[in-house]
Amino acid sequence: MPEIGESELRKQIRAGEFKNAYLIYGDESYLKEYYVSLIQKKLVDKSFEVFNLHTFDGKDVLLDDILKDAQMLPIMSEYNLVIVRDYPIDKEKVDLELLEEYLADCPESTVFVMWFDSLVLDSKSAKFKRLSKAFSKAGVVANLYKRTDSEIASLLVNGAKKRGSSLDAVNAKYLISVSGNDLQTLLNELDKLCAFAQGTPITREIIDDMATKCFQARIYDLSKCIVAGNSYKAFDVLNSLFEMKEKPIMILSAISGVYVDMYRVKCAKVAGYSYDDVAKHFNYKRREFALKNASRDCASMSTSRLRASLDAIMQTDIKLKSTAADERILLEELTVKLLMGS
């Protein structure tokens, strides 16, 4: 079976069409954990969990021990479920061969789930392709990538309704821009906002007052303050980033990204193009909101000022990487230069 996405995996599980093997990976942690838990909930009766459920942390166990449990027969149940999290596929040279042997003739009464959470995979490597091929023949390979902002916004709107509150699509997208697009983080924020709203609509003002801002949102705040010439607020945001123990090089990298976005949008506008054209040309898939913000923020800035700002950012980057100068002072000096139009 070819690789599938979230919608097909959800459809199969809801229909009870379970396969004997699942390889689950991707860049959306919440979805991976959710669907592994859903498979467990559907297949294992809690009364017989001790007999029919076998979970392993791949970093702490040998594949031989995993496969022994995968050969066991279920007790008072249709399936024996084996769940393996973050098994390093290059742990032992023979592991891939053992997995291929097992998957070529896996028991019909076992569902074998291998999923990758914190372990980063190279999906283009020869070993992963071998693993994927073996799982495809025996069952399912599911790539659970991040949902689009529109899909996440829809989830938040429906989630607020289930929690007894209301959130419109515009404010849902605003919440994403404030707290980031990690699903688990957003659902935690939604719980908090709904509890505060107590059945009333969740407004932009409530989001501003209550939602936790992600790192990128704080960087956008910093750039907006700089563009607006608000030095007091700019340094307040910068100080908060230092208090959060953010690394100076990461702060600079994020500032650089914001200014690059603004420069691209400004150049496109001068040439008669929109930020949608920029999104297509520079591959801003699922990050279109960044260009929308950039288009708004750079409206009063000239191309020459943006170039000078990028030069100042580049010089600060060189100093951060090549001198022993105080990193905080370097970023504060850069902030002053950007405020003055450098």
Side-chain angles (χ1 to χ4, degrees), residues 228-247:
N230 189 337
S231 57
Y232 177 81
K233 188 65 184 296
F235 277 99
D236 186 47
V237 175
L238 185 60
N239 288 334
S240 73
L241 290 168
F242 283 122
E243 288 170 3
M244 292 168 66
K245 307 297 183 185
E246 299 290 355
K247 294 181 179 179

Side-chain angles (χ1 to χ4, degrees), residues 23-128:
L23 176 63
I24 298 175
Y25 75 105
D27 57 9
E28 182 51 76
S29 296
Y30 173 80
L31 291 178
K32 289 182 291 185
E33 186 169 0
Y34 172 78
Y35 282 104
V36 171
S37 298
L38 189 59
I39 291 172
Q40 178 180 326
K41 182 180 178 182
K42 293 283 188 179
L43 293 184
V44 181
D45 186 326
K46 286 194 174 183
S47 303
F48 297 93
E49 196 174 84
V50 67
F51 303 109
N52 300 325
L53 174 63
H54 312 274
T55 59
F56 299 93
D57 188 325
K59 298 187 287 293
D60 301 325
V61 68
L62 296 175
L63 184 61
D64 277 339
D65 295 331
I66 296 171
L67 295 183
K68 284 177 186 175
D69 281 357
Q71 297 288 354
M72 293 176 65
L73 291 172
I75 296 178
M76 301 292 288
S77 178
E78 186 177 355
Y79 292 108
N80 172 48
L81 178 61
V82 176
I83 298 174
V84 186
R85 174 180 176 269
D86 282 344
Y87 191 88
I89 57 176
D90 54 358
K91 194 173 188 177
E92 298 288 344
K93 289 184 179 179
V94 297
D95 279 356
L96 270 175
E97 293 177 10
L98 288 173
L99 273 171
E100 287 170 332
E101 279 181 30
Y102 169 78
L103 293 168
D105 190 27
C106 52
E108 291 186 4
S109 59
T110 293
V111 173
F112 186 89
V113 179
M114 181 172 278
W115 71 292
F116 295 91
D117 181 21
S118 58
L119 189 67
V120 179
L121 286 176
D122 180 4
S123 59
K124 296 181 180 179
S125 70
K127 287 184 178 180
F128 180 80

Side-chain angles (χ1 to χ4, degrees), residues 206-237:
I206 290 176
I207 294 171
D208 284 335
D209 289 341
M210 300 297 298
T212 302
K213 290 192 174 183
C214 66
F215 172 69
Q216 194 62 48
R218 290 180 182 273
I219 294 296
Y220 281 131
D221 283 347
L222 177 59
S223 65
K224 281 197 296 183
C225 293
I226 290 171
V227 171
N230 189 337
S231 57
Y232 177 81
K233 188 65 184 296
F235 277 99
D236 186 47
V237 175

Side-chain angles (χ1 to χ4, degrees), residues 61-304:
V61 68
L62 296 175
L63 184 61
D64 277 339
D65 295 331
I66 296 171
L67 295 183
K68 284 177 186 175
D69 281 357
Q71 297 288 354
M72 293 176 65
L73 291 172
I75 296 178
M76 301 292 288
S77 178
E78 186 177 355
Y79 292 108
N80 172 48
L81 178 61
V82 176
I83 298 174
V84 186
R85 174 180 176 269
D86 282 344
Y87 191 88
I89 57 176
D90 54 358
K91 194 173 188 177
E92 298 288 344
K93 289 184 179 179
V94 297
D95 279 356
L96 270 175
E97 293 177 10
L98 288 173
L99 273 171
E100 287 170 332
E101 279 181 30
Y102 169 78
L103 293 168
D105 190 27
C106 52
E108 291 186 4
S109 59
T110 293
V111 173
F112 186 89
V113 179
M114 181 172 278
W115 71 292
F116 295 91
D117 181 21
S118 58
L119 189 67
V120 179
L121 286 176
D122 180 4
S123 59
K124 296 181 180 179
S125 70
K127 287 184 178 180
F128 180 80
K129 288 178 179 178
R130 276 181 64 184
L131 185 70
S132 179
K133 184 177 180 181
F135 270 92
S136 292
K137 288 181 179 179
V140 167
V141 176
N143 181 2
L144 302 183
Y145 45 81
K146 287 188 178 294
R147 293 177 175 179
T148 65
D149 284 354
S150 293
E151 289 170 335
I152 296 174
S154 179
L155 176 72
L156 293 174
V157 170
N158 292 329
K161 187 176 181 180
K162 290 176 182 177
R163 290 164 175 80
S165 223
S166 63
L167 176 69
D168 63 35
V170 173
N171 283 325
K173 288 184 178 180
Y174 179 64
L175 176 59
I176 296 168
S177 72
V178 167
S179 297
N181 63 359
D182 178 76
L183 268 180
Q184 186 62 67
T185 299
L186 284 168
L187 291 174
N188 290 339
E189 290 298 315
L190 186 63
D191 285 338
K192 180 173 67 179
L193 294 172
C194 288
F196 179 82
Q198 295 184 334
T200 62
I202 298 171
T203 63
R204 183 171 180 137
E205 289 72 25
I206 290 176
I207 294 171
D208 284 335
D209 289 341
M210 300 297 298
T212 302
K213 290 192 174 183
C214 66
F215 172 69
Q216 194 62 48
R218 290 180 182 273
I219 294 296
Y220 281 131
D221 283 347
L222 177 59
S223 65
K224 281 197 296 183
C225 293
I226 290 171
V227 171
N230 189 337
S231 57
Y232 177 81
K233 188 65 184 296
F235 277 99
D236 186 47
V237 175
L238 185 60
N239 288 334
S240 73
L241 290 168
F242 283 122
E243 288 170 3
M244 292 168 66
K245 307 297 183 185
E246 299 290 355
K247 294 181 179 179
I249 194 67
M250 296 302 295
I251 296 174
L252 181 64
S253 176
I255 292 172
S256 174
V258 171
Y259 271 82
V260 167
D261 291 342
M262 289 194 291
Y263 184 67
R264 285 172 173 169
V265 168
K266 177 63 73 172
C267 289
K269 187 174 182 180
V270 170
Y273 295 99
S274 68
Y275 64 78
D276 288 328
D277 297 314
V278 178
K280 293 175 185 176
H281 187 75
F282 290 99
N283 192 22
Y284 278 76
K285 190 176 181 180
R286 299 190 181 94
R287 289 189 59 248
E288 293 85 355
F289 70 90
L291 292 178
K292 185 176 182 180
N293 291 341
S295 179
R296 176 197 64 216
D297 295 341
C298 73
S300 62
M301 299 177 72
S302 65
T303 306
S304 59

